[in-house]
Amino acid sequence: MQYFPMTDFNTALQAAFDAGEMLHLNGPITVDTPISIRMKQSTIGWFGLDGHGHKITSTITGAPVIRCFMDGDTPTGTMSRALAFRDLTIVGGGAEGNGLQIDVPFNDRWIANVELRSLWVENVGGHGIEINGSIFESFGYNVGTQGCHDCGMHFAN
């Protein structure tokens, strides 16, 4: 099993988001601290995480495994198009928060055309996948959850 020091994986994923590119996993990883990605600018074209069929195993306690978000420092009018999470499994230990969480709690910043494809989330302490806020015109294909302590998938605005 490949082990990424969290600063390396978090830094690599943040850099991919900042460049508007996909990060590709080359093997399974274990994460012991939350992956937190702040969306800082508008993006057009596919960007995000392609797992190539690999697994992320979590030993996190009390926080989402992967959280992508816009916050008060994200400029007003930011519109990110074509965020993707593909071909990936997240397996929790039951103590983390959500498996994958995407948050845009504003009416003046948005994400459109999110693609969740071939995802499996199992045994996380919260929702398998939680989508919150101004996120529009998105798609989920072949997405499954099992044994998550809250809902498999939760959508809120």
Side-chain angles (χ1 to χ4, degrees):
M1 177 167 294
Q2 180 182 8
Y3 183 81
F4 261 102
M6 278 310 79
T7 55
D8 292 350
F9 182 64
N10 203 112
T11 299
L13 189 55
Q14 182 70 61
F17 270 64
D18 293 347
E21 298 174 349
M22 297 293 293
L23 179 68
H24 298 269
L25 286 183
N26 296 317
I29 63 171
T30 297
V31 296
D32 57 8
T33 58
I35 305 305
S36 186
I37 304 300
R38 186 166 76 79
M39 301 175 73
K40 302 173 186 177
Q41 74 271 338
S42 294
T43 304
I44 299 172
W46 295 116
F47 70 103
L49 180 61
D50 189 330
H52 292 283
H54 297 294
K55 184 185 326 181
I56 295 175
T57 302
S58 167
T59 61
I60 296 167
T61 299
V65 177
I66 299 174
R67 178 176 179 242
C68 302
F69 64 96
M70 291 185 188
D71 62 11
D73 291 332
T74 303
T76 298
T78 296
M79 169 58 116
S80 290
R81 296 172 185 87
L83 169 61
F85 286 91
R86 300 178 182 148
D87 207 15
L88 178 67
T89 298
I90 297 173
V91 176
E96 51 284 293
N98 301 320
L100 172 62
Q101 182 173 323
I102 304 172
D103 296 310
V104 183
F106 304 95
N107 290 324
D108 58 3
R109 285 152 257 204
W110 314 271
I111 302 174
N113 195 31
V114 175
E115 179 183 286
L116 305 177
R117 181 180 294 272
S118 298
L119 297 182
W120 182 258
V121 183
E122 187 169 332
N123 196 41
V124 296
H127 304 298
I129 299 171
E130 184 168 58
I131 309 292
N132 296 307
S134 294
I135 302 166
F136 303 97
E137 302 160 352
S138 299
F139 308 92
Y141 305 98
N142 192 31
V143 176
T145 66
Q146 183 174 341
C148 300
H149 293 207
D150 289 329
C151 301
M153 293 182 75
H154 182 256
F155 299 90
N157 62 17

